């Protein structure tokens, strides 16, 4: 009963505030909020603050002013109203480097849901405030929370997203990847995140989500999702440029193999990367631990060697720890927007997939190019020990199985 009463009261106050808020100055808004809180009763301050977005301190001040039995009756001309934009400036105004310093602390520990662009962090606001203070950015944990909310972070409970046992060096590997990516970006060298999106059925099949259509006229699709023998499935493999916020997707019609994955990187380099990084000498690649770009896949390393020989680039590869595939940047910076762009829309043809991916954009400037890859990629290709030994590979001192560099052969 209490919850229902609260919901109704908050909704009613919010409706009033939406109608009157722009017509009231700062003093009038404060007194009106105090009056509403007095009418509601003991929980009035909290409920009015929630409904209006005003702070509890402001609502409480309005209540106190209304309690004065003998208020000074000053002429209206002497009533002092703070002009728009007045008051104490936020800390980010006086300390421009605060937001950047906070992002530097959060970035190595940031996770992402592949179906949502919203980010969340596993560090508490008090720990972040203490680390910022140690870097000469004195700030309270409440201010840290406000900045995080402004940057679209949120505080969330635990969620089952791990795909296996946690590796003891998981966090250390995340920090290693972060340092390698930042080092490359400071030197204006390209850094990409790669991964394969889930396979999609082509044809009049149901697609998750909804889109606007005339009322009572939904798009008709098949009841059963049996694969169309002629159209089959497509496998989108993406390459996300973390520095330029641009992406490339090769839409394959054959098997998702290591050769297909590397050929997608090759296509990105030829059509987008080469012109954007004319002075590049190395390419940093972050990838999952398994799948077609897994660290144990021999064909992946052999195909990368061919790419290094062809481009003349040093290929520095960093794999995410096992069981953390959803933490890959491409998942929550590119794939989630592709899924949003075609939600509720049947993927009738292969060209439909290419067009929908290519027209995916965001307000932050994300641009994606897509192309159909009609090549055949046979499975079961075996790599002999001699071919593997001929690869010019140098493994890092920290987890050389996950972190290694492939050099072009002379």
């Amino acid at each position: 009963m209490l919850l229902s009463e609260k919901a109704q009261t908050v909704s009613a106050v919010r409706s009033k505030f939406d109608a009157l808020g722009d017509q009231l100055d700062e003093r009038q808004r404060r007194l009106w909020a105090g009056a509403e809180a007095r009418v509601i009763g003991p929980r009035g301050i909290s409920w009015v603050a929630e409904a209006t977005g005003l702070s509890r301190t402001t609502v409480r001040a309005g209540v106190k002013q209304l309690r004065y039995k003998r208020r000074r009756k000053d002429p209206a001309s002497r009533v002092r109203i703070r002009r728009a934009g007045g008051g104490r400036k936020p800390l980010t105004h006086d300390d421009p480097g605060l937001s950047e310093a906070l992002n530097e602390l959060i970035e190595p520990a940031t996770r992402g849901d592949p179906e949502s662009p919203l980010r969340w962090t596993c560090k508490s606001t008090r720990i972040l405030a203490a680390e910022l203070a140690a870097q000469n950015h004195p700030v309270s944990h409440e201010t840290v929370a406000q900045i995080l909310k402004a940057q679209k972070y949120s505080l969330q409970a635990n969620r089952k997203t791990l795909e296996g046992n946690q590796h003891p060096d998981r966090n250390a590997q995340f920090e290693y990847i972060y340092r390698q990516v930042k080092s490359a970006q400071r030197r204006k060298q390209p850094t990409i995140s790669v991964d394969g999106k889930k396979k999609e059925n082509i044809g009049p099949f149901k697609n998750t989500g909804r889109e606007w259509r005339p009322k009572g006229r939904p798009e008709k699709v098949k009841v059963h999702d049996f694969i169309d023998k002629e159209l089959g499935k497509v496998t989108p493999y993406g390459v996300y440029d973390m520095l330029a916020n641009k992406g490339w997707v090769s839409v394959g019609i054959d098997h998702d193999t290591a050769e297909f994955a590397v050929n997608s990187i090759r296509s990105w380099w030829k059509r987008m990367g080469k012109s954007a990084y004319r002075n590049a000498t190395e390419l940093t690649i972050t990838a999952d631990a398994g799948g077609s770009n897994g660290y144990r896949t021999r064909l992946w390393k052999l195909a990368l060697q061919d790419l290094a020989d062809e481009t003349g680039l040093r290929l520095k590869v960093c794999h995410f720890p096992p069981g953390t595939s959803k933490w890959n940047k491409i998942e929550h910076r590119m794939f989630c927007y592709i899924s949003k762009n075609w939600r509720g829309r049947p993927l009738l043809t292969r060209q439909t997939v290419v067009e929908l991916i290519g027209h995916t954009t965001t307000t932050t400037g994300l641009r994606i190019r897509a192309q159909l890859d009609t090549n055949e990629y046979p499975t079961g290709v075996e790599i002999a020990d001699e071919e593997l030994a001929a690869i010019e590979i140098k493994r890092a001192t920290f987890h050389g199985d996950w972190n290694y560099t492939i050099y072009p052969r002379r």
Side-chain angles (χ1 to χ4, degrees), residues 190-203:
T191 57
I192 60 175
S193 171
V194 301
D195 195 13
K197 203 175 185 300
K198 73 180 185 69
K199 294 183 178 181
E200 301 287 350
N201 285 341
I202 302 300

Side-chain angles (χ1 to χ4, degrees), residues 92 95-105 132 137 147 151:
T92 51
D95 187 0
L98 177 59
S99 295
E100 183 178 354
L102 180 58
N103 275 326
E104 291 288 334
L105 291 175
L132 287 171
H137 296 287
I147 298 174
Q151 296 180 352

